[in-house]
Amino acid sequence: MKRILLGTAAAVAFAGTAAAADLTVGFSQIGSESGWRAAETSVSKIEAEKRGIDLKIADAQQKQENQIKAIRGFVAQGVDAIFLAPVVATGWDTVLEEAKDAEIPVILLDRTIETSDDSLYLTAVTSDTVHEGKVAGDWLVKTVAGKPCNVVELQGTVGSSPAINRKKGFEDGIASASNIKITRSQTGDFTRAKGKEVMEGFLKAEGGGKDICALYAHNDDMAVGAIQAIKEAGLKPGTDILVVSIDAVPDIFKAMADGEANATVELTPNMAGPAFDALKAFKDSGKAPEKWIQTESKLYTQADDPMKVYEEKKGLGY
Ligand code: AHR
C-alpha cells in the first residue's frame, strides 16, 4: 500500500508553494496539447497564488488512466478539493465516487463528463461548447452568403466534450444553409502537428485544396498547423480557404493580422479563478454553487484589430 501511495505521489508534479495555505487543491490537468491548455495551467497557478491556495498540479499527458491515478493520489493525501479537466467525457463515476466517499468536492474545469449522478461533482466551470461551434457555423453562413462551400473539419480529441459539442454546434449553425457541406471530418487531437498532418491529407483528397472553401478547426492550434499545410500546398489561407476556429490564442490573432485566418471564438483560460471562488464560498457557507458556472464565448474576426488583441493576450498567461 505504502509503495502504491509513494508511486502515486511521485507521478504528481507539485506546483503549489504556500506553506500555511488555507486550502490545498489537487488539479488533474490533461497535459499541454495546445497553447490554450498551457495558458490554463499557468493562469491556474497565478489565481491560486493570489488567493494563498496550495495548488498541486498533476499532468496526465492526455491519458485518462493517469487522471484516475492522480485523483486517487489526491484522495489519499486528503486535499480540500479536486479540480478535474477530464480528457474524455465518460468513465469517471467510480473514481469520483471514491472522492465523494472521502468528502472531497470535485470541480470540473473546461470540459464536462457524462454521468447519471451529478452529485459526483460540486460544479463545472466551462463555456457552452455547443454554442461555440454554433457561433463558428453562423459566422460561416453569413460570410459565404449563399455561395456553395465545402468545409473540412478538424475535430478535437475523440470522446472529449468539446470535440463532441463543437461538432454538434457547428452542424446546428450551418443546418439551414444548404450551400454549405462538411466534406471531410477527422480528429487532429487538438494539436498543431496533427492539425497540419490531417490537413495535408484533406488537401490531397480534395483536388489539392481547390475543392475546399473553408476549414473549421475545433481549436486554434490545429488551425495554425493547417494554415501551414495550406501554404505549403501553394494556396492562400484566409482567402482561398477560409479559416474559422476556437480558443482565441495569441497565434491565431497574428494569423488574422496576416490575413491567414478569418475568425475565432474565445475560450477564457481562466477557469480556475471562478472555481476557487466557488469553492471558497462553499467552504465558508456550506451552500453549494450553481451546477454550471458558464464562461463567455466571444467571436473575433479580422475586423477586431487582431494585432492589438494579440498584444493584450500575450500578457494573460500565454
Ligand atoms: O477543453 C478545452 C480545449 O482543450 C481547448 O479548446 C483546446 O485548445 C484544448 O486542448
Side-chain angles (χ1 to χ4, degrees):
M1 181 63 182
K2 200 171 166 197
R3 219 180 322 127
I4 295 169
L5 288 181
L6 284 173
T8 308
V12 172
F14 291 99
T17 45
D22 284 348
L23 288 176
T24 298
V25 175
F27 177 14
S28 171
Q29 176 60 297
I30 292 170
S32 49
E33 71 281 1
S34 65
W36 183 89
R37 180 70 51 198
E40 189 200 32
T41 301
S42 74
V43 171
S44 302
K45 291 178 191 170
I46 295 166
E47 294 296 318
E49 213 171 299
K50 268 191 209 164
R51 294 165 175 82
I53 289 172
D54 183 11
L55 182 66
K56 299 172 188 301
I57 302 182
D59 178 340
Q61 304 189 339
Q62 312 298 316
K63 291 200 174 79
Q64 184 177 34
E65 68 204 61
N66 290 345
Q67 294 204 280
I68 291 172
K69 267 189 218 150
I71 293 169
R72 292 200 167 122
F74 292 141
V75 169
Q77 290 166 47
V79 296
D80 297 299
I82 293 170
F83 288 2
L84 167 65
V87 61
V88 290
T90 56
W92 298 102
D93 282 24
T94 305
V95 73
L96 294 189
E97 270 155 21
E98 292 167 27
K100 189 179 169 187
D101 290 346
E103 296 182 7
I104 298 175
V106 172
I107 297 184
L108 304 178
L109 291 196
D110 79 84
R111 294 188 185 182
T112 50
I113 60 170
E114 284 169 29
T115 179
S116 54
D117 181 1
D118 71 2
S119 75
L120 293 179
Y121 62 91
L122 181 66
T123 184
V125 183
T126 75
S127 62
D128 181 341
T129 45
V130 176
H131 178 67
E132 289 168 346
K134 175 139 187 344
V135 170
D138 288 345
W139 173 84
L140 188 65
V141 171
K142 229 170 102 191
T143 303
V144 298
K147 287 193 208 106
C149 183
N150 286 348
V151 181
V152 294
E153 178 183 31
L154 285 169
Q155 296 180 37
T157 302
V158 174
S160 68
S161 61
I164 297 164
N165 295 339
R166 288 172 184 170
K167 177 162 190 48
K168 183 187 181 307
F170 186 80
E171 286 169 357
D172 291 349
I174 62 168
S176 61
S178 58
N179 56 311
I180 301 179
K181 285 194 175 46
I182 300 173
T183 52
R184 311 241 157 216
S185 182
Q186 206 177 305
T187 182
D189 230 353
F190 282 131
T191 71
R192 215 169 266 217
K194 209 61 200 304
K196 179 169 188 275
E197 185 191 314
V198 176
M199 189 68 198
E200 284 165 353
F202 286 162
L203 289 160
K204 274 197 197 108
E206 297 282 335
K210 63 176 178 355
D211 299 333
I212 303 172
C213 145
L215 161 71
Y216 165 48
H218 290 191
N219 81 346
D220 290 342
D221 275 71
M222 291 190 293
V224 170
I227 286 170
Q228 190 56 35
I230 296 169
K231 290 203 277 193
E232 287 172 13
L235 294 171
K236 281 195 183 139
T239 309
D240 296 329
I241 298 180
L242 299 171
V243 177
V244 56
S245 52
I246 293 167
D247 272 0
V249 303
D251 282 355
I252 206 74
F253 289 99
K254 235 190 194 152
M256 282 204 260
D258 294 340
E260 295 179 346
N262 304 85
T264 186
V265 185
E266 186 175 42
L267 176 69
T268 176
N270 186 7
M271 301 283 166
F276 288 135
D277 291 344
L279 177 66
K280 181 86 176 47
F282 173 64
K283 293 273 181 195
D284 290 347
S285 69
K287 200 171 157 273
E290 295 288 316
K291 214 66 202 176
W292 183 17
I293 299 172
Q294 191 185 337
T295 62
E296 272 182 62
S297 310
K298 182 179 167 197
L299 176 75
Y300 285 92
T301 68
Q302 288 178 356
D304 292 309
D305 198 348
M307 258 346 262
K308 187 167 166 250
V309 186
Y310 170 81
E311 294 300 339
E312 286 164 5
K313 287 263 171 192
K314 280 305 257 185
L316 297 174
Y318 289 99

